[in-house]
Amino acid sequence: MNILGIESTAHTFGVGIVTDTGKILSNVTDSYTSDAAGMIPDKVVVHHNTVAEKVLLNALDNAKVDWNDVDFIAYSAGPGLDPCLWAGYHKAKEWAQKYRKTLIGVNHCAAHLSIGKVYNALQNPCYLYVSGVNTQIIVFEDGKYRVLGETLDIGLGNMLDKFGRIIGLGFPAGPELEKLAKNGTYVELPYVVKGMDVSFSGILTRAQQLFEQKKMTKEDLCFSVQETCFAMLTEVVERAMAHTGKKELLLVGGVGANKRFCEMLNIMCKERGATFYKVPMDLAGDQGAMIAWEGFLRKDESGDIEVRPHWRVDDI
Ligand code: ATP
Ligand code: FE2
């Protein structure tokens, strides 16, 4: 069985094809880019509509299959930007009608978790999902995802990007910030853990003040922002693992590219006899293969559900 997955929640339009064993046959993406910071949704929709057929053909070509070999079409129903979701949904619907396939709407966040789980052949991990928008600690218990902790304000990636803009780094700021941090030393910033939740906006405000007052170098600020935010998440994740008895930790989302973050989580896991896992870069970002795989897992319970822009992972 082969499943074709369509991703379109934000700036990326992607089509991936996977088998029912989780083997990825192809995974083609085309992302909207612009010189100006941020995305203009109407322009992203034009982008998605323009590239859709080309991305589809490349995905079929790379997988060496045609429509006869595709059993289902899965698409990202949400969460995401409303116009982008509709663009993806309309393509999914158009292709489903044209090629007589069944539609399966899936949750984008759950897809990030599932592809990491199958890639690493995990049993039942504790998930740490840290992207631009999302920062959540998630476990799967009693047939449901449960969010044990999350950011109370902005996602860590967005916070790093905002801070990067303030100190003059390009977008996204994460990679450059990581480089600068290598030559920094630690200065204290607010450390904001509230129960199992975290908050990043106070750290951003304080770091901005210190930068504007020219009290610290960019390097020291980058290092301190990283150390503080990563330590907060490591602390909360450790508590989640202690509470649930999980022996596997899986980090997904773009901030997972950060080597220092992975190092801290790896040390924490080793100290408690657990194992740390992540996903390779081509599966870390938004793409269609993860949607296809999540579609396979949900094929008996989901269908044409149109779009759900605010669909939380614990509402599945
Ligand atoms: P989602 O829809 O799943 O929330 P997203 O588009 O918001 O996805 P991702 O593509 O998963 O986010 O991740 C992008 C974020 O990762 C950006 O905020 C970027 O700055 C951050 N990032 C990328 N590389 C690094 C790095 N080396 N260190 C820290 N952050 C990084
Ligand atoms: Fe994503």
Side-chain angles (χ1 to χ4, degrees), residues 6-313:
I6 302 168
E7 161 59 27
S8 79
T9 55
H11 57 290
T12 300
F13 187 87
V15 175
I17 300 171
V18 305
T19 69
D20 53 9
T21 56
K23 186 172 172 220
I24 297 170
L25 301 181
S26 66
N27 205 8
V28 180
T29 56
D30 193 317
S31 297
Y32 167 84
T33 49
S34 111
D35 295 338
M39 292 190 283
I40 301 155
D42 290 351
K43 291 197 174 170
V44 184
V45 169
V46 172
H47 167 268
H48 289 359
N49 286 330
T50 309
V51 303
E53 292 289 336
K54 185 191 76 193
V55 172
L56 169 70
L57 291 180
N58 285 342
L60 290 167
D61 216 38
N62 292 358
K64 298 189 177 59
V65 301
D66 63 31
W67 275 109
N68 292 323
D69 307 312
V70 173
D71 296 278
F72 294 96
I73 298 179
Y75 69 94
S76 249
L81 294 170
D82 196 63
C84 303
L85 293 172
W86 282 109
Y89 172 71
H90 284 137
K91 278 290 155 200
K93 186 108 181 158
E94 178 190 323
W95 294 337
Q97 280 170 347
K98 194 165 167 192
Y99 301 106
R100 301 210 180 126
K101 306 292 173 192
T102 303
L103 275 184
I104 310 165
V106 303
N107 181 289
H108 173 94
C109 304
H112 272 294
L113 310 184
S114 304
I115 199 76
K117 180 172 179 248
V118 70
Y119 175 84
N120 288 294
L122 303 183
Q123 293 298 317
N124 190 1
C126 177
Y127 300 94
L128 177 56
Y129 176 23
V130 192
S131 62
V133 184
N134 292 287
T135 300
Q136 290 181 324
I137 297 110
I138 304 163
V139 294
F140 191 81
E141 269 178 4
D142 303 325
K144 256 183 93 64
Y145 283 113
R146 300 191 189 273
V147 176
L148 299 185
E150 64 190 315
T151 178
L152 296 171
D153 39 50
I154 50 177
L156 180 52
N158 282 358
M159 187 281 230
L160 297 178
D161 292 335
K162 280 188 185 179
F163 177 62
R165 200 174 311 143
I166 291 165
I167 66 169
L169 306 181
F171 176 86
E176 192 56 31
L177 197 125
E178 179 172 15
K179 269 189 220 153
L180 288 173
K182 290 206 170 85
N183 297 314
T185 52
Y186 188 72
V187 276
E188 205 166 319
L189 291 172
Y191 183 97
V192 194
V193 173
K194 296 178 182 170
M196 290 295 284
D197 296 323
V198 293
S199 153
F200 298 116
S201 57
I203 300 172
L204 177 64
T205 306
R206 182 70 187 133
Q208 178 170 10
Q209 280 170 356
L210 290 168
F211 177 72
E212 286 168 358
Q213 293 162 1
K214 299 190 169 54
K215 285 192 175 153
M216 284 170 64
T217 65
K218 283 185 189 179
E219 285 81 359
D220 287 353
L221 278 170
C222 290
F223 179 72
S224 307
V225 166
Q226 275 198 185
E227 292 298 298
T228 307
C229 299
F230 296 164
M232 284 160 44
L233 286 174
T234 306
E235 179 196 324
V236 180
V237 170
E238 179 168 32
R239 228 175 309 134
M241 293 178 78
H243 178 70
T244 55
K246 301 277 184 215
K247 290 290 179 197
E248 304 166 324
L249 172 63
L250 174 61
L251 174 63
V252 299
V255 183
N258 191 293
K259 291 206 169 60
R260 175 62 181 143
F261 193 20
C262 293
E263 181 187 36
M264 283 167 85
L265 293 168
N266 195 24
I267 292 169
M268 180 274 286
C269 282
K270 275 194 176 150
E271 282 177 357
R272 46 181 307 106
T275 315
F276 171 67
Y277 298 90
K278 54 189 174 165
V279 287
M281 278 321 287
D282 56 339
L283 295 183
D286 293 349
Q287 26 76 31
M290 68 177 190
I291 304 303
W293 178 241
E294 180 67 13
F296 170 70
L297 299 175
R298 305 276 176 186
K299 68 179 171 21
D300 298 327
E301 63 188 77
S302 187
D304 181 347
I305 53 173
E306 295 199 329
V307 306
R308 298 182 178 176
H310 305 291
W311 195 9
R312 278 176 63 91
V313 75

